[in-house]
Amino acid sequence: MQAQYIHDGKQVDFTPDVDVPVGSLVIQGDLVGVTKRDLKADTLGSIAVEGVFDFPKDPVDAETYTAGQKVFATNDGIVTEVPDGSVFLGKVVDDAEPTDNIVRVRLSQ
């Protein structure tokens, strides 16, 4: 059997059940991506599965994130622990202090 090249894989097809705004974290099994534009329900779009993104930190998150640290995605956001239902998201690319509002992450699959 021979494989057939389809595309570079930086984005993958995604058809949401509900409207999904730009910048949304999408978890499909072990596949995690981010919407790069608003997606309408039941309409084919795509999610980015590669790239560097700024993710908002929870205002009560007093954690320090360090470059190279692994982070995981949950339906509630990003975490450094590995709770049930979490999926590997990527690695932090820039230190984030407890007072910072964002964590910069390079997506990894």
Side-chain angles (χ1 to χ4, degrees):
M1 177 177 148
Q2 292 182 322
Q4 180 179 350
Y5 178 82
I6 303 300
H7 59 76
D8 64 16
K10 294 179 182 180
Q11 299 182 89
V12 295
D13 290 346
F14 173 65
T15 303
D17 296 334
V18 297
D19 290 354
V20 180
V22 64
S24 294
L25 186 62
V26 174
I27 302 173
Q28 295 181 301
D30 285 336
L31 181 67
V32 180
V34 177
T35 57
K36 292 174 66 177
R37 63 174 183 250
D38 293 335
L39 301 178
K40 295 290 184 192
D42 302 318
T43 303
L44 178 63
S46 65
I47 55 174
V49 293
E50 286 188 8
V52 177
F53 293 85
D54 285 342
F55 290 92
K57 283 178 58 181
D58 185 321
V60 296
D61 181 0
E63 189 168 353
T64 298
Y65 294 80
T66 56
Q69 182 177 19
K70 290 181 180 180
V71 289
F72 301 83
T74 69
N75 289 326
D76 297 321
I78 64 169
V79 294
T80 56
E81 304 281 322
V82 187
D84 289 342
S86 68
V87 179
F88 179 63
L89 176 65
K91 293 183 181 176
V92 174
V93 297
D94 195 14
D95 294 347
E97 299 300 323
T99 55
D100 291 335
N101 295 322
I102 58 111
V103 179
R104 186 161 289 164
V105 176
R106 179 183 181 274
L107 299 184
S108 302
Q109 297 301 314

